[in-house]
Amino acid sequence: MGLENGYLKKYFKGIIVKKLSDVETIPKKSNQHEYNATTKMKEIFGFDDRKFETDFLYIDDETNITAKNFLTWYDARRNHPTRSEYRLYYPSTKVSEMAKSGDSLFICVKQDDTILCIVAAKDATITSQLYWLFDITDNKSGKFTQNSLLNTDSGQLEFLARTILEQIGIAYEEDDSKGLLAELIGEFGNSFPKTTLFSSFARSLVKDVDPISEPDVALLKWFDMDEKLFFLMEENIVKERLQQGFVENGEVNVKMFINFSLSVQNRRKSRAGYSLENHICALLDANGIEYSHTPVTENRSKPDFLFPNIECYRNMDFKAENLTMLGAKSTCKDRWRQVLAEADRIDRKHLLTLEAAISTYQTDEMQDKHLQLVVPQQIHCTYTENQRQWLYSVADFLNEIKEKQRKTPYAAMLRL
């Protein structure tokens, strides 16, 4: 589901980005703690000297470090009759101590005039994702690049934008202009059903896809709808529970609140993976593909999908070259390595993910480990040109499986 043009204006007034240099990150080289401004930055920060309350964040693919302080915007030549020289002063924080040359600095001015100042690690996937989200080219000149956010790409997928915003601490605002929550409650009441039922209902609301001719489009639209429905339902359930309060016998029950909070977090962590698997199953069924879902292989491993089926996998007379394994992870991080230890008979593994802009460092390692990444075609644009030449689309993967199964009809005979 595409987002409306300029949707990031709901959250930010403007965003500027630059690559950090040695002078800005090594204390021995500079104690100035200042960034030189560009002329256009005045459009965001204004012309008056002022301090901005700021949330500082250092982020890579494994770490989030936060701090609170101020950024100071001022004209170093305020008293000069004809010249101005605006600068942005930053204090020492846990975040500035983590910054290294080559990291990217994202200064995001929010609509309430507070600032989110992000230092994103060089070569991290989240860094590439932030450049994509903010629709800014990775500028290696060391000067600030600015995006006014008025024309942010309206083709961005909602669940990708939501995922990245949440990683930097921005609560995504759900839009229910189509009355989806009412349909949800009418179907399930105000509680979550099993993920298979929830995913099936999400697919029923997506009318304009063909999983056979456009499998990439179908999978993304199904998952996108599933995500949207989940967060609409979650918000409604949480709001109702908070209104009830956590009072027992006239006293606030902290344990009750913590348990509820943990249940919300745990549900969030587990359901995205199940949702993706549910929609992959529907896609495989629609395309008439033989498979086993979460079978048990060596050492009690449970690969997400085996092709043609677990019976063929266990039959040592069935050639390993005709077997295929597919892992499914909505986001990768470093968890993609888990797939390598599953299904020992299969040397070349496949992994389907919805992760945008995975770093070249990670994808190079995947290739070295004989792991083929499968990414829906609409997300390929977030990757580099070299990466795209290697990536599989969902259609590419399905065509490969169909061709294998066409050549190995013996698989059907082994189905129990």
Side-chain angles (χ1 to χ4, degrees):
M1 298 171 71
L3 291 159
E4 63 182 9
N5 202 31
Y7 73 98
L8 286 175
K9 290 290 285 184
K10 289 192 296 186
Y11 310 99
F12 306 110
K13 287 185 174 181
I15 291 171
I16 55 173
V17 183
K18 77 185 301 293
K19 280 287 180 66
L20 294 175
S21 64
D22 287 348
V23 171
E24 294 160 330
T25 57
I26 301 176
K28 290 181 180 179
K29 293 196 174 186
S30 175
N31 292 313
Q32 294 297 311
H33 280 230
E34 290 180 336
Y35 304 118
N36 289 325
T38 61
T39 302
K40 283 196 170 184
M41 285 167 62
K42 298 172 190 175
E43 298 173 7
I44 301 175
F45 295 100
F47 296 88
D48 298 328
D49 297 355
R50 62 179 297 190
K51 284 188 174 183
F52 290 87
E53 184 179 332
T54 302
D55 288 311
F56 293 87
L57 169 66
Y58 174 85
I59 189 167
D60 60 22
D61 294 333
E62 298 179 353
T63 308
N64 276 38
I65 295 173
T66 61
K68 282 186 175 291
N69 212 300
F70 292 87
L71 282 175
T72 303
W73 171 256
Y74 74 104
D75 182 359
R77 296 183 180 271
R78 174 67 63 189
N79 297 322
H80 195 283
T82 58
R83 292 183 62 189
S84 64
E85 187 177 313
Y86 281 90
R87 296 177 184 173
L88 199 57
Y89 174 85
Y90 63 95
S92 293
T93 64
K94 292 183 293 183
V95 171
S96 65
E97 291 170 4
M98 292 293 296
K100 298 178 180 63
S101 180
D103 291 350
S104 292
L105 175 71
F106 295 82
I107 297 178
C108 313
V109 183
K110 298 182 185 179
Q111 289 293 349
D112 62 1
D113 273 343
T114 63
I115 291 178
L116 173 61
C117 182
I118 306 168
V119 176
K122 179 183 178 182
D123 297 329
T125 292
I126 183 61
T127 307
S128 301
Q129 291 175 340
L130 288 171
Y131 278 108
W132 171 80
L133 177 73
F134 297 139
D135 199 19
I136 297 178
T137 303
D138 187 345
N139 185 349
K140 297 177 173 60
S141 69
K143 296 181 179 180
F144 277 112
T145 302
Q146 183 173 343
N147 184 347
S148 66
L149 306 176
L150 293 175
N151 297 303
T152 309
D153 184 4
S154 60
Q156 289 183 352
L157 291 157
E158 187 170 8
F159 77 87
L160 288 181
R162 180 195 295 109
T163 300
I164 300 169
L165 285 169
E166 287 180 350
Q167 288 186 76
I168 60 174
I170 301 296
Y172 185 80
E173 297 179 14
E174 296 293 341
D175 171 28
D176 191 26
S177 56
K178 295 183 179 179
L180 294 174
L181 179 60
E183 291 195 54
L184 266 175
I185 294 175
E187 184 73 15
F188 302 117
N190 198 29
S191 61
F192 282 105
K194 291 182 178 179
T195 59
T196 51
L197 292 176
F198 197 86
S199 295
S200 178
F201 180 70
R203 290 193 297 274
S204 74
L205 298 179
V206 180
K207 308 293 186 183
D208 57 342
V209 296
D210 183 346
I212 298 175
S213 64
E214 294 184 307
D216 292 79
V217 174
L219 182 61
L220 275 190
K221 287 195 172 185
W222 288 343
F223 185 84
D224 208 27
M225 177 62 78
D226 202 319
E227 285 275 287
K228 187 171 186 66
L229 292 176
F230 172 83
F231 284 104
L232 285 170
M233 174 77 86
E234 181 191 65
E235 182 178 350
N236 195 59
I237 291 173
V238 171
K239 185 186 297 183
E240 184 178 275
R241 185 65 187 87
L242 291 176
Q243 287 173 342
Q244 293 172 6
F246 297 89
V247 177
E248 191 174 46
N249 299 324
E251 293 186 4
V252 174
N253 189 322
V254 176
K255 185 177 180 181
M256 188 188 301
F257 170 76
I258 291 174
N259 288 339
F260 175 72
S261 176
L262 288 174
S263 70
V264 171
Q265 294 175 49
N266 290 335
R267 182 169 54 215
R268 278 195 172 196
K269 290 177 183 177
S270 65
R271 48 84 44 201
Y274 288 127
S275 169
L276 179 58
E277 290 180 32
N278 293 337
H279 297 307
I280 292 174
C281 286
L283 198 63
L284 296 172
D285 291 340
N287 281 272
I289 291 175
E290 178 93 5
Y291 67 95
S292 291
H293 183 211
T294 62
V296 179
T297 60
E298 304 86 357
N299 303 314
R300 297 184 180 180
S301 292
K302 287 187 176 182
D304 294 320
F305 296 92
L306 271 181
F307 305 87
N309 52 41
I310 186 60
E311 293 76 33
C312 290
Y313 183 86
R314 290 172 178 164
N315 186 334
M316 302 311 290
D317 291 330
F318 193 87
K319 293 181 179 180
E321 63 201 54
N322 293 323
L323 297 168
T324 306
M325 191 211 83
L326 177 69
K329 294 187 183 297
S330 56
T331 58
C332 277
K333 307 300 181 185
D334 284 334
R335 296 180 301 120
W336 63 267
R337 294 182 182 84
Q338 298 169 3
V339 175
L340 303 177
E342 300 170 345
D344 290 348
R345 288 192 66 193
I346 301 171
D347 292 329
R348 179 173 175 253
K349 311 290 202 297
H350 292 73
L351 173 62
L352 193 157
T353 186
L354 308 181
E355 184 94 69
I358 295 176
S359 68
T360 54
Y361 172 81
Q362 294 263 26
T363 56
D364 286 347
E365 187 179 352
M366 290 177 187
Q367 291 183 67
D368 289 341
K369 300 293 186 182
H370 307 293
L371 179 71
Q372 176 61 58
L373 201 62
V374 181
V375 179
Q377 187 68 51
Q378 300 93 310
I379 304 177
H380 283 211
C381 64
T382 69
Y383 288 78
T384 68
E385 187 173 342
N386 286 338
Q387 287 175 311
R388 288 179 222 166
Q389 295 175 10
W390 163 70
L391 288 177
Y392 267 28
S393 66
V394 177
D396 291 334
F397 176 76
L398 294 181
N399 289 336
E400 183 174 290
I401 295 299
K402 287 178 180 178
E403 182 62 15
K404 277 189 178 182
Q405 296 195 1
R406 186 185 66 80
K407 291 180 178 179
T408 53
Y410 175 59
M413 298 170 58
L414 292 175
R415 188 190 306 174
L416 294 179

